[in-house]
Amino acid sequence: MYEWIKGYNLVEYSEQAERMDFGEHESFHMERLELESPPVGVTAAAQYFIAQQAWLSDDFQQMIPADNANIRELILAEVAPHFADVKQVIREGNIETIYLRELKPESRQLFLDTHTGILPVLEDLYRHHDISDSFSGVKRTIVNYVVDPAALEPYEVPGTETLQALLNAYLELPDGEYALMPLGWKFDDHLQNSAALRFFAGWAPHLMLGVDADTDEVIILHMSAREFTREVLLNSARPKPSRRRGSYLYMDIGHALVNVIDLSRQSHIKAWNELKDVKVYQLPEGMDFTDFNHETAEPLPAGIAFFYDQDSLQSMIGRVNQELEDFN
């Protein structure tokens, strides 16, 4: 059993956490495209990218890599005409992504009336259309299983050359990954017969299933151009204990980022947004947290938001309150 699951996973040891790059956001902007051609029919590529809005929710949106001119032409010819809101994302003067929202009513009907070769794959990928559990906010314990594509029987779909070219564009991105959220998948040996899993295994070199440890529900399907690795941070890469400099509390939050909090203006908090003066700084290249001094550094620009998991948030709130007791 489970001969289609690899019995190992590569481990990558890191001496330092990867630095975040904030420079790439400086010249980012979006331009709306007005398409003259109305939707005429639905191709396999169009049906694939329409499915989420047609079946699951109008709130879904598609962002397809489009830095390649040929790929961009395919998107604008086959997929974009079905959406009312079409924008191109431009960075550093180059078109990077095509952004698609608001499925047109006539395209929704075309989707329902059309049977392309990709439809059985989509019906298997989304075995039901209830997404309420997917966005419930309930914390899950995820176990990752690496799939052996060579062990799966191929599921070939004629007429999907354009779709596979568009999907390949995701794998050609710097991170080389693409992910989907299947609905109704249970992790058992029968999953090797899944039409969707076998189809994706035909073009993605590496696949990995993220499975809920308590329910065996497959939460996410990862696809990648590179072999999956599990990063293990050595002690040198883990956040250092918080420290104070005068009335300022420095909290190492990893990835060369530091929260700087002015304790002199602060009372005890129950929520992170009760902090009156908190700024995030990035350590200069090569600097250790123990040498950081906010007086000789510049905070990150306004408009960059950070999201913390609940455990980390409560830990930081507890640390702030403890430091306030010691400070006062």
Side-chain angles (χ1 to χ4, degrees), residues 152-167:
L152 298 177
E153 182 181 350
Y155 187 91
E156 297 180 0
V157 182
T160 57
E161 293 79 13
T162 296
L163 172 59
Q164 294 198 40
L166 297 181
L167 294 177

Side-chain angles (χ1 to χ4, degrees), residues 76-260:
L76 296 178
E78 294 195 23
V79 184
H82 296 283
F83 293 85
D85 185 6
V86 180
K87 296 185 178 76
Q88 56 186 12
V89 180
I90 300 176
R91 196 187 308 276
E92 300 291 338
N94 298 315
I95 299 173
E96 186 177 83
T97 309
I98 299 294
Y99 168 90
L100 307 169
R101 281 186 67 250
E102 297 181 20
L103 181 64
K104 294 178 179 178
E106 59 268 38
S107 292
R108 187 184 303 273
Q109 192 58 49
L110 281 171
F111 173 89
L112 297 174
D113 294 341
T114 303
H115 191 293
T116 71
I118 201 62
L119 190 59
V121 172
L122 295 171
E123 290 172 336
D124 180 61
L125 180 63
Y126 305 120
R127 297 180 181 181
H128 65 74
H129 300 162
D130 181 3
I131 61 172
S132 56
D133 288 344
S134 301
F135 302 97
S136 64
V138 176
K139 187 175 181 179
R140 302 174 186 252
T141 300
I142 304 298
V143 179
N144 292 317
Y145 295 94
V146 179
V147 176
D148 181 3
L152 298 177
E153 182 181 350
Y155 187 91
E156 297 180 0
V157 182
T160 57
E161 293 79 13
T162 296
L163 172 59
Q164 294 198 40
L166 297 181
L167 294 177
N168 277 331
Y170 289 96
L171 299 189
E172 292 170 0
L173 292 173
D175 60 3
E177 291 193 10
Y178 178 60
L180 291 168
M181 292 190 301
L183 294 175
W185 285 23
K186 287 288 184 180
F187 182 66
D188 58 33
D189 207 34
H190 297 292
L191 193 58
Q192 66 178 308
N193 301 317
S194 160
L197 186 62
R198 290 158 53 204
F199 171 75
F200 292 122
W203 66 271
H206 304 283
L207 298 94
M208 183 169 67
L209 301 171
V211 179
D212 187 314
D214 297 319
T215 66
D216 284 336
E217 178 186 0
V218 177
I219 304 301
I220 191 166
L221 168 61
H222 296 278
M223 290 162 272
S224 176
R226 298 186 298 270
E227 191 163 5
F228 292 101
T229 61
R230 182 170 65 88
E231 184 181 28
V232 176
L233 296 179
L234 300 177
N235 287 336
S236 60
R238 299 184 183 279
K240 306 296 190 300
S242 301
R243 64 185 182 88
R244 281 220 317 264
R245 180 181 176 86
S247 64
Y248 289 88
L249 173 64
Y250 296 169
M251 303 182 74
D252 183 357
I253 58 176
H255 302 282
L257 298 174
V258 181
N259 274 329
V260 176

